[in-house]
Amino acid sequence: MRRTPWWMLACCAVVGAALGALLAIAMFAGRVPLVRLPLLLPVAIAAVAVFLLALGWQVRRRRAGKQSRLSALQCARVAVLAQASSRAGALLAGVVGAFTVACLQDRGSAYLHWQATASLWTAAASLLLVVAGAVVETWCALGDDGGGRPPERGVSR
């Protein structure tokens, strides 16, 4: 498993910001009804990040040779979850970040101010998910031979 490069997370965030901006434009133009973010959304995202860190810690213990509750297959699943979480968190942070900026443009409405606050908390929780996914990816990464690339077939060193 290779770790997710920083540029892929940045691309996910940029794509998310573009989608969020398009969604905000459509909502404020009246073509799409306003999306109301649930209050528990940032709490749920942060809970997933904490759960991922707890699973990643078990993988780290197993790699260090200590007793762990996870099997090798479960460790591989944690690694995949870490990659998916970092990418999805970056995408969601971009979408919600753009929505936050769009809501802050109109300061006259109390509803939009509340939405901006809720989306800001959701963006912060999404960034926490990105960080948790990247950290767990580091804990789950398998060491390579130092060359950065797998050896080619039929070539001996």
Side-chain angles (χ1 to χ4, degrees), residues 12-24 37 88-102 119 122-123 126:
C12 287
V14 168
V15 167
L19 290 175
L22 289 175
L23 178 68
L37 294 175
L91 186 69
L92 186 61
V95 169
V96 179
F99 189 67
T100 302
V101 171
S119 58
T122 304
S126 299

Side-chain angles (χ1 to χ4, degrees), residues 66-107:
K66 298 178 183 174
Q67 186 178 3
S68 174
R69 297 179 183 159
L70 300 178
S71 68
L73 181 61
Q74 290 170 330
C75 290
R77 289 177 179 162
V78 170
V80 171
L81 178 63
Q83 278 191 338
S85 295
S86 64
R87 294 172 187 179
L91 186 69
L92 186 61
V95 169
V96 179
F99 189 67
T100 302
V101 171
C103 286
L104 287 175
Q105 298 297 322
D106 184 16
R107 295 179 188 230

Side-chain angles (χ1 to χ4, degrees), residues 32-138:
V32 177
L34 285 175
V35 174
R36 182 172 182 182
L37 294 175
L39 287 175
L40 292 179
L41 183 60
V43 175
I45 293 170
V48 170
V50 169
F51 180 69
L52 179 63
L53 285 170
L55 287 175
W57 189 259
Q58 291 296 317
V59 172
R60 185 177 181 192
R61 287 179 52 89
R62 181 176 172 90
R63 288 197 59 213
K66 298 178 183 174
Q67 186 178 3
S68 174
R69 297 179 183 159
L70 300 178
S71 68
L73 181 61
Q74 290 170 330
C75 290
R77 289 177 179 162
V78 170
V80 171
L81 178 63
Q83 278 191 338
S85 295
S86 64
R87 294 172 187 179
L91 186 69
L92 186 61
V95 169
V96 179
F99 189 67
T100 302
V101 171
C103 286
L104 287 175
Q105 298 297 322
D106 184 16
R107 295 179 188 230
S109 171
Y111 174 76
L112 288 179
H113 178 69
W114 181 87
Q115 280 295 102
T117 304
S119 58
L120 184 65
W121 281 105
T122 304
S126 299
L127 289 176
L128 177 68
L129 185 61
V130 171
V131 170
V135 167
V136 173
E137 277 186 60
T138 302

